[in-house]
Amino acid sequence: MQSEVSSRAKNVTRYGCLLLAVSFLAGCKLPGKPKDGPEVPRPEQVLSFDELYAANCSGCHGAHGEKGPAMNLANPEYQALVDDASLRDIIVNGEKGTLMPAFGEKQGGELTDAQVNVLVKGLRAKWGKGDVLSGLNAPTWKATHAGDPAAGKLVYEAACARCHSASGSQPSKGGSILDGSFLAVVNEQMIRTTVIAGRPDLGMPDWRSLKQSGPLTDNEVTDVTAWLMSQKPALPGQPYGSAAPAQPAAAPANKISGKD
Amino acid sequence: MPWYRQVYDWLEHRLQLEGPVMEAMVHPVPRKTASWWYVFGSASFVLLILQVVTGILLALVYAPSAAHAWDSLEVLNHQLPLGWFLRAMHGWGSNFMVAVVLIHMCQVFLFGGHKYPREFTWVLGVCMLLMTLGMAFTGQVLRFDQDAYWGLGIGASIAGRVPFVGGQLVHLMLGGPMINGATLTRFFALHVFVIPGALLAFTGLHLWMVVKLGINEWPMPGRIVRRETYMKEYHDLTHTDGLAFVPLAVWKDLFFSAAILLAVAACAAYFGPFGPKGAPDPTIINTVPKPDFFFLWLYTVLSYLPPNLETPFLLIVPPIAIAFLIAIPFVAGIGEKSWWRRPVAVFAVFFIAVCWGAFTQLGTYTPWSPQMHAWSGAPVPEKLLVNRTPLERQGAVVLQQKQCRNCHELGGMGGQRGPALDDVAGHMTEDQLYRQVLQGGGNMPAYGAALSPAETTALVKFLTTLKVNYAPAASDASRQVADADTGTAATGAR
């Protein structure tokens, strides 16, 4: 009897010790235990594409690379169109003539070369689908020569006007791209990229189906871009429309009457 | 006689401690005082001991030099087994200690414990509260991460505002004109030697008086404290209706202290240690430094104050508050103890508690700091971009690129420095938007020089689309009259 009790007591102590040891080991996996690496890494140590994209690009290019205010990067055709070096150059130096900022450290941005590389690789991996343009005879990303605006006007009428209207003041399905302020904040490359790769997220087709009679040629794309750029007014963004130069005093008077 | 008994007797024969200790232990306390309300003082003491023990262990590893402090915390967090747990215990212990000390203080005040003859116990208590807060602040500095760095910067700028000697004060505090290695060693000395030494000495005195003067009796409405009679009344009370402190009252203290220690351990295990946040590098400006929990209220109050009131507030209010706390037992040292008969006291405690809670809660939101990454990291909500013209779309890009989002929310994302812009066109006309953007106003910078006319036009065109679709856009009757006069159609920009 006595010995039974004491052996049970021994058992209890044995299990108790086991339990203690297990809970101690489990202690090393407690939820409060800090994860590997510093809690807040230095900004230049962030090397994950998703984090970098979310913090630096999603504001303008959309959380998922589309439907943002600026170009959609999640377009496989665009990813096939542009080469790594150009992509890197745009991220580091920004794009002159547009609102795309420079992200390179030397240009006053915050991204190191390593981080830019991660972005370039990640854009390909996430949104590229390989060489989807091969054999389609697509125009090149960069224009090879200067365009002819006069010829471009005809291309515009044939390929763009049905969606973007013939004149800037006429509202249309795609909205005017002849607006002086719009043309002043974009550049040739932006239009070229949009025409070739399209904006599938917004319902603008790529270069193959803009013109009813067939794909646009490289020359046509170059020309229409040149014509659009030539439509940029000398003093873009004057308030109160075309009437502004004629009677400058009337409107600005109540412009001052702000809310406070 | 067994050997330990012999050793004990040998020592006792020389130390003579048994008598006083036994007396202190079995001294009678009023029966109703053996209540769960009286456990916070002893819990504060137990937490102090916990902090001393964990603090000593931490000091074995911690390197109080600017170059190595942050790294040594990383070592504790990641390389030493359970080092993180030690840090967490110390950090959570500090939070609990401040909280329990504050509760203890409220309890004592509401129960009239500061009245005759315990005025000096209260005064010491106020000093101990200040030291506890001092420990919390210096401890946060020793973490020497970004929060600590900016916290120190703020502390130094407060010191720098003191008239005449501000400069010297900053020098004294930082060990130089700016935060450097000497700053850290200074705070290390304060946190490890000066304040704890004083705190332990004060605690000893405080306890001595608690034992000598007896624990405050449970207040009864109508039982008035009079200097002439109180001592005798208390003596009678404890001897007619008293309990021996050990074991009849002490078990509740022990039980509660154990529960608090377990709670600290549970928080430490579950939430882990505090920081260290990013390395303390002043070149990393994209941080939102925040003070520790107890100082959040101050942060809120300061952000609400108009700038020209900040200095007077910082320099006048704390001394007044401290003087006020110390004066309490001298102004109200006799009379009623019961909270039923002290409405002003009860109201004051609740008022302060509610204010503190509200300010702390507000402080957790940081609506006052811009969000430095919103411009590139907060997407424009897709539904605000449906059916927009290319110009309006570029306007949205301008809004991002000019960093308006750092201060303004869209779709619940972005800074909160200015109002959310989701339906700004519902109450501002195009003209008013132009004015606001170009001239700024309130706390908003003027963008006139930073935006080209085309960018401004695009931006305002986008802003005018920001309204809930069933509501009409804001309109300006005078504009129609002016347009009718001049014969212009209100088509807006080109």
Side-chain angles (χ1 to χ4, degrees), chain B residues 20 72 92 115 125-126 169 171 385 393 395 413 417 425:
Chain B
S72 67
W92 281 100
K115 297 196 179 219
V126 172
L169 266 186
H171 222 274
L385 292 170
R393 229 167 248 291
M413 274 185 299
R417 196 90 179 80

Side-chain angles (χ1 to χ4, degrees), chain B residues 33 38 104-123 125 206 209-210 213-220 225 230 234 328-330 332-339 342 345:
Chain B
T33 290
Y38 284 74
H104 174 55
M105 200 165 162
C106 292
Q107 181 265 324
V108 165
F109 177 68
L110 287 177
F111 282 58
H114 56 285
K115 297 196 179 219
Y116 177 84
R118 303 187 180 84
E119 300 97 327
F120 193 58
T121 321
W122 168 270
V123 171
H206 191 80
M209 281 189 289
V210 170
L213 298 173
I215 293 172
N216 186 28
E217 79 281 5
W218 186 274
M220 288 293 200
V225 179
Y230 180 80
Y234 183 80
I328 288 176
F330 300 104
I334 49 175
E336 281 284 356
K337 269 188 177 173
S338 168
W339 53 87
R342 290 165 60 221

Side-chain angles (χ1 to χ4, degrees), chain B residues 12 174 239 244 257 278 304 321 368 394 489:
Chain B
E12 173 55 25
L174 301 184
H239 283 83
S257 299
Y304 270 132
W368 307 281
Q394 290 298 322

Side-chain angles (χ1 to χ4, degrees), chain A residues 70-131:
Chain A
M71 223 211 34
N72 67 324
L73 298 169
N75 177 356
E77 285 184 25
Y78 174 68
Q79 293 299 339
L81 186 67
V82 65
D83 60 277
D84 280 4
S86 313
L87 209 48
R88 194 170 295 125
D89 176 60
I90 289 170
I91 299 175
V92 169
N93 297 310
E95 209 183 311
K96 293 252 155 38
T98 76
L99 290 154
M100 168 76 191
F103 283 91
E105 276 180 316
K106 287 192 205 73
Q107 284 68 22
E110 287 182 357
L111 298 184
T112 61
D113 286 347
Q115 287 175 319
V116 173
N117 283 337
V118 168
L119 276 171
V120 171
K121 277 216 193 71
L123 286 173
R124 305 304 203 190
K126 194 153 182 182
W127 292 315
K129 292 223 173 79
D131 195 3

Side-chain angles (χ1 to χ4, degrees), chain A:
Chain A
M1 201 60 194
Q2 189 74 31
S3 72
E4 210 171 87
V5 169
S6 81
S7 85
R8 191 173 295 162
K10 237 180 236 158
N11 263 346
V12 168
T13 14
R14 196 172 298 150
Y15 286 126
C17 286
L18 206 72
L19 208 78
L20 257 178
V22 166
S23 58
F24 197 77
L25 280 182
C28 307
K29 292 215 177 61
L30 288 169
K33 183 169 189 195
K35 308 266 169 318
D36 285 345
E39 190 175 345
V40 180
R42 294 182 64 93
E44 67 269 17
Q45 280 166 357
V46 176
L47 286 176
S48 117
F49 172 75
D50 287 338
E51 272 176 51
L52 286 173
Y53 181 83
N56 296 293
C57 321
S58 68
C60 299
H61 290 284
H64 306 288
E66 56 176 21
K67 299 200 179 122
M71 223 211 34
N72 67 324
L73 298 169
N75 177 356
E77 285 184 25
Y78 174 68
Q79 293 299 339
L81 186 67
V82 65
D83 60 277
D84 280 4
S86 313
L87 209 48
R88 194 170 295 125
D89 176 60
I90 289 170
I91 299 175
V92 169
N93 297 310
E95 209 183 311
K96 293 252 155 38
T98 76
L99 290 154
M100 168 76 191
F103 283 91
E105 276 180 316
K106 287 192 205 73
Q107 284 68 22
E110 287 182 357
L111 298 184
T112 61
D113 286 347
Q115 287 175 319
V116 173
N117 283 337
V118 168
L119 276 171
V120 171
K121 277 216 193 71
L123 286 173
R124 305 304 203 190
K126 194 153 182 182
W127 292 315
K129 292 223 173 79
D131 195 3
V132 289
L133 297 179
S134 82
L136 293 178
N137 193 20
T140 53
W141 176 71
K142 193 124 207 117
T144 46
H145 57 93
D148 171 8
K153 182 170 170 35
L154 300 178
V155 178
Y156 182 85
E157 276 153 14
C160 319
R162 67 186 165 105
C163 294
H164 290 293
S165 86
S167 76
S169 57
Q170 236 173 295
S172 55
K173 178 177 154 236
S176 172
I177 50 173
L178 293 175
D179 183 284
S181 299
F182 170 73
L183 290 172
V185 293
V186 300
N187 69 0
E188 232 171 310
Q189 184 59 55
M190 182 268 183
I191 293 176
R192 187 177 175 87
T193 307
T194 310
V195 171
I196 303 174
R199 285 249 5 204
D201 57 335
L202 302 178
M204 161 136 171
D206 63 17
W207 88 103
R208 285 170 292 175
S209 33
L210 292 174
K211 214 168 51 169
Q212 250 113 1
S213 57
L216 290 170
T217 63
D218 191 295
N219 272 342
E220 284 172 326
V221 175
T222 313
D223 293 344
V224 73
T225 316
W227 180 73
L228 275 169
M229 281 290 119
S230 73
Q231 296 304 298
K232 185 162 80 176
L235 292 173
Q238 296 310 312
Y240 311 111
S242 48
Q247 36 309 100
N254 50 27
K255 215 181 94 184
I256 314 297
S257 67
K259 101 183 149 84
D260 47 6

Side-chain angles (χ1 to χ4, degrees), chain A residues 32 35 39 42 55 59 110 240-241, chain B residues 78 269 275 281 286 376 431 435 492:
Chain A
K35 308 266 169 318
E39 190 175 345
R42 294 182 64 93
E110 287 182 357
Y240 311 111
Chain B
H78 298 295
D281 179 344
N286 281 330
S376 60
D431 293 335
R435 196 215 58 79

